Amino acid sequence: TRVYGVEGEPTIELIEDDSEHPENPSLVEAMRKVAKQRDDAARHAMYSEMLNATFLAPMDPEVDDDAEDSEALLAFEIQPSGRPTLGVFSDWASLRLWSPQGHDYAPIHGADLFGLAIERDAASVRINPEGDVGGELHRNEVETLVRAVETFRRRNSN
């Protein structure tokens, strides 16, 4: 009562989380490598890892269940242009650094995530904001990744 200003007995509730908590160690390593080397080969390897990773995408609690998938993604900020900056996380630990109390999220494959970002008209996508290893992909990079996925899918549909 003295510390929290709340009267009564505390209740303790254990909630088992059966949500998917992907880990992307090869992505995180590729991001570290780009930060150190800053060469095209390292950057291309990182982009490949991003397209094959499963990210944790925070969901906007203000959006109802009938919203389009891209509209349900939480906007971390709105740019002066009116376009959102989206944020995603490579793993559970990075998500918890951003929101220690937890936050509703959905696991989204990288190839789908970047398409959703374009659909949402995002200015950029931040990866692991507040995390140990992170960065930001600007619109032109996201568009390039989406075109790469589209080309790959066209070639492999034959």
Side-chain angles (χ1 to χ4, degrees), residues 28-44:
V28 172
E29 184 56 37
M31 291 171 68
R32 279 192 176 107
K33 192 172 184 180
V34 166
K36 291 177 186 174
Q37 293 182 349
R38 298 194 181 274
D39 65 12
D40 285 341
R43 184 168 295 281
H44 287 265

Side-chain angles (χ1 to χ4, degrees), residues 28-93:
V28 172
E29 184 56 37
M31 291 171 68
R32 279 192 176 107
K33 192 172 184 180
V34 166
K36 291 177 186 174
Q37 293 182 349
R38 298 194 181 274
D39 65 12
D40 285 341
R43 184 168 295 281
H44 287 265
M46 178 190 68
Y47 288 148
S48 179
E49 290 293 337
M50 286 180 176
L51 288 173
N52 290 296
T54 298
F55 290 95
L56 302 178
M59 296 290 112
D60 188 340
E62 303 294 319
V63 175
D64 63 22
D65 294 338
D66 297 334
E68 296 286 324
D69 290 342
S70 64
E71 293 300 318
L73 297 173
L74 180 67
F76 278 47
E77 79 181 89
I78 303 298
Q79 300 299 319
S81 65
R83 293 161 67 189
T85 291
L86 305 177
V88 295
F89 299 89
S90 63
D91 54 64
W92 178 247

Side-chain angles (χ1 to χ4, degrees), residues 9-31:
E9 292 294 315
T11 58
I12 298 174
E13 182 179 357
L14 176 63
I15 299 172
E16 292 187 40
D17 184 5
D18 60 354
S19 303
E20 183 179 348
H21 295 151
E23 294 183 16
N24 295 294
S26 56
L27 169 60
V28 172
E29 184 56 37
M31 291 171 68

Side-chain angles (χ1 to χ4, degrees), residues 103-114:
H103 197 287
D104 287 339
Y105 65 89
I108 302 177
H109 192 267
D112 298 326
L113 169 71
F114 298 115

Side-chain angles (χ1 to χ4, degrees), residues 80-158:
S81 65
R83 293 161 67 189
T85 291
L86 305 177
V88 295
F89 299 89
S90 63
D91 54 64
W92 178 247
S94 296
L95 175 70
R96 295 295 295 223
L97 286 172
W98 170 73
S99 179
Q101 302 84 11
H103 197 287
D104 287 339
Y105 65 89
I108 302 177
H109 192 267
D112 298 326
L113 169 71
F114 298 115
L116 291 173
I118 293 299
E119 186 179 300
R120 179 77 179 271
D121 197 27
S124 65
V125 176
R126 289 191 188 139
I127 300 171
N128 295 339
E130 309 297 329
D132 295 333
V133 178
E136 185 168 13
L137 296 177
H138 296 281
R139 174 72 180 212
N140 63 318
E141 292 172 290
V142 174
E143 288 172 343
T144 300
L145 291 173
V146 169
R147 281 193 304 272
V149 168
E150 289 169 352
T151 300
F152 177 81
R153 288 180 176 159
R154 265 194 316 272
R155 287 181 183 162
N156 289 315
S157 68
N158 294 333

